[in-house]
Amino acid sequence: RHAFHAGSCADVVKHVVLSHMLRATATARPLFIDTHAGAGLYDLFAGPAQRLLEHSHGVDRLFLPQEIVATATPAPSCAPSEYFAKDLQTRERVATQAATRAPLLTPRRTEGAVAELLRDYIACITAANRMASPAMAAQPTPRPGAVKASHLLRWYPGSPLLAAMLLPRVAAIHAFEAHTAVAGELGQAARHMARAALLARSATTWATVNVHIGDGYQGTHDLLDSFPQFALPSRARRGSPPPGSQPERRSDQPPSPAAPSQSPSDPSAESLPGTTSNDTRTASTPDVTNASPSAVLVCIDPTYEDRRETHAAARLFARLSATPSASALLWYPAEAAAALRPLLLRGTADPHALELTATGPHARFGLCLAGIHADTVAMITLALDELAPVLDVSLKLRPLRNSGSVPIS
């Protein structure tokens, strides 16, 4: 699960670039798709994040550290087994220990291109923490220390919530998640954040997040085929279903079960603007909005635990690179580079597609980007050069066609 890696160096670089792509797309009526959405909001004080502490090499470095202040009660030490304990008392002990080393919710001062690129990302992190503090009150609360817990960096938003904050309300956001429990967490987090933004009358816009349980690759292909401007020629000739249509259900086919995030026990699930939920295990085409989008942005961030994911990710990226008004971000770990790169070089149609490689003591990964406007490449390159020393990582952005023989080492 991504909770172990939330806020890592890879997350920071990926989400900084994604936030810039989202902002560039926000001027249109965009369609955003996340093929592997995850839980949406991650608690950096919880056991999984504390077990590996990957966020200490990532998002923590963008915020100011706590001053060394003596506290009346020292932070308790936790055994490795306690990071996965279920009882509230142990989870509170883990959260208290995390609070003693968490950075303040005050970003470091940056200037120039890196400040421009980080502006939206930092604003989303800050807004997510301010909205999540009252919304997620059921989570363990650290014992009082030198700094109030509400002034610390605790919550990290995933790609769907970043899109919900950065895109206009007319945007269509579709988040696919194969695991039912994780999809339920995503729906719950999006509802809670939307409620907090509504109650606080936050200036942050909040677009509706449509949660789908099922295969993100097939769901994305089906969703693209439902719009004539994004459909494959073969699908367009046969006639794609119109936007908003539902697949015809046979009389012997049971209705789609409700997603866990749309639980009847939650009275606000149906009335609260912020999330809708669909189960794509029995539906061939996800629900889409009535308004036709003018641009599409797809985030492809699989685990690559299955070898078939390499081919599926490359196939989807290649399709998007050949689709007008489409842009894509594909993340991959260093271990998948040897198998993935030949597929991308062979299938990517966009001659201006880029590859970003990251190497460092705590990060080895890559990003492939398609559909990026040419006038933003120079700014992104400069900003990444300035961001690299902060994260202690080497970042290189080059054309995908010229990077096939460059290994990640």
Side-chain angles (χ1 to χ4, degrees):
R1 294 186 56 173
H2 189 66
F4 291 93
H5 315 290
S8 64
C9 176
D11 259 3
V12 171
V13 175
K14 176 183 65 179
H15 287 148
V16 164
V17 175
L18 179 62
S19 64
H20 182 77
M21 296 172 68
L22 287 167
R23 183 60 73 185
T25 310
T27 56
R29 183 185 292 273
L31 167 66
F32 175 75
I33 306 173
D34 194 331
T35 61
H36 300 76
L41 187 66
Y42 301 94
D43 186 359
L44 301 182
F45 286 9
Q50 288 297 306
R51 182 68 179 89
L52 300 180
L53 290 175
E54 290 193 14
H55 55 87
S56 64
H57 306 292
V59 67
D60 286 9
R61 298 192 176 197
L62 303 180
F63 290 82
L64 293 176
Q66 294 187 49
E67 296 181 357
I68 305 301
V69 180
T71 58
T73 305
S77 58
C78 301
S81 59
E82 293 183 307
Y83 291 123
F84 307 99
K86 300 297 184 182
D87 63 285
L88 182 60
Q89 183 177 3
T90 303
R91 291 165 60 203
E92 287 178 346
R93 187 185 307 121
V94 172
T96 300
Q97 178 179 262
T100 62
R101 53 180 176 236
L104 299 172
L105 194 59
T106 305
R108 293 180 181 271
R109 181 167 180 168
T110 55
E111 298 178 352
V114 68
E116 180 69 19
L117 191 67
L118 288 177
R119 180 182 58 189
D120 289 332
Y121 174 74
I122 293 294
C124 287
I125 299 294
T126 305
N129 276 268
R130 289 174 177 168
M131 289 189 294
S133 294
M136 309 296 283
Q139 298 297 324
T141 302
R143 289 187 301 187
V147 181
K148 291 183 178 180
S150 59
H151 296 168
L152 300 175
L153 174 64
R154 175 173 184 174
W155 303 98
Y156 190 83
S159 302
L161 298 195
L162 287 176
M165 287 185 277
L166 290 176
L167 292 179
R169 288 188 174 91
V170 296
I173 301 176
H174 294 269
F176 291 90
E177 175 54 50
H179 299 89
T180 303
V182 179
E185 293 176 15
L186 171 59
Q188 182 185 40
R191 286 202 310 275
H192 282 177
M193 297 288 281
R195 181 187 294 112
L198 185 65
L199 295 177
R201 296 181 180 179
S202 172
T204 303
T205 62
W206 195 271
T208 300
V209 179
N210 299 277
V211 181
H212 307 279
I213 306 173
D215 180 5
Y217 297 115
Q218 188 59 50
T220 301
H221 283 294
D222 291 341
L223 188 55
L224 293 175
D225 288 336
S226 67
F227 296 102
Q229 66 270 37
F230 304 135
L232 291 173
S234 59
R235 295 292 183 93
R237 284 195 300 268
R238 290 197 300 266
S240 57
S245 65
Q246 291 292 330
E248 183 176 358
R249 183 167 61 88
R250 303 188 310 269
S251 59
D252 59 340
Q253 181 181 353
S256 300
S261 58
Q262 195 75 3
S263 172
S265 61
D266 187 348
S268 63
E270 296 182 359
S271 59
L272 180 70
T275 60
T276 62
S277 199
N278 302 286
D279 192 332
T280 60
R281 289 172 296 186
T282 57
S284 59
T285 305
D287 296 335
V288 294
T289 56
N290 293 327
S292 181
S294 55
V296 59
L297 169 59
V298 180
C299 178
I300 311 169
D301 184 12
T303 61
Y304 295 96
E305 294 177 351
D306 189 335
R307 291 185 178 181
R308 292 172 295 183
E309 291 227 62
T310 302
H311 292 270
R315 175 172 169 258
L316 180 55
F317 185 84
R319 172 180 180 171
L320 292 164
S321 71
T323 303
S325 302
S327 53
L329 182 151
L330 168 65
W331 176 89
Y332 64 86
E335 295 77 13
L340 184 63
R341 272 206 183 107
L343 299 174
L344 293 173
L345 291 172
R346 186 165 59 246
T348 302
D350 182 6
H352 304 293
L354 302 172
E355 182 176 34
L356 169 65
T357 56
T359 56
H362 307 290
R364 295 172 62 245
F365 62 91
L367 293 175
C368 289
L369 311 173
I372 305 297
H373 202 273
D375 61 2
T376 64
V377 175
M379 186 190 73
I380 292 177
T381 303
L382 177 61
L384 292 176
D385 287 342
E386 297 182 23
L387 181 62
V390 178
L391 299 177
D392 190 20
V393 65
S394 173
L395 300 173
K396 295 182 179 179
L397 186 67
R398 57 173 71 88
L400 176 62
R401 294 293 182 186
N402 299 334
S403 62
S405 60
V406 181
I408 295 181
S409 58

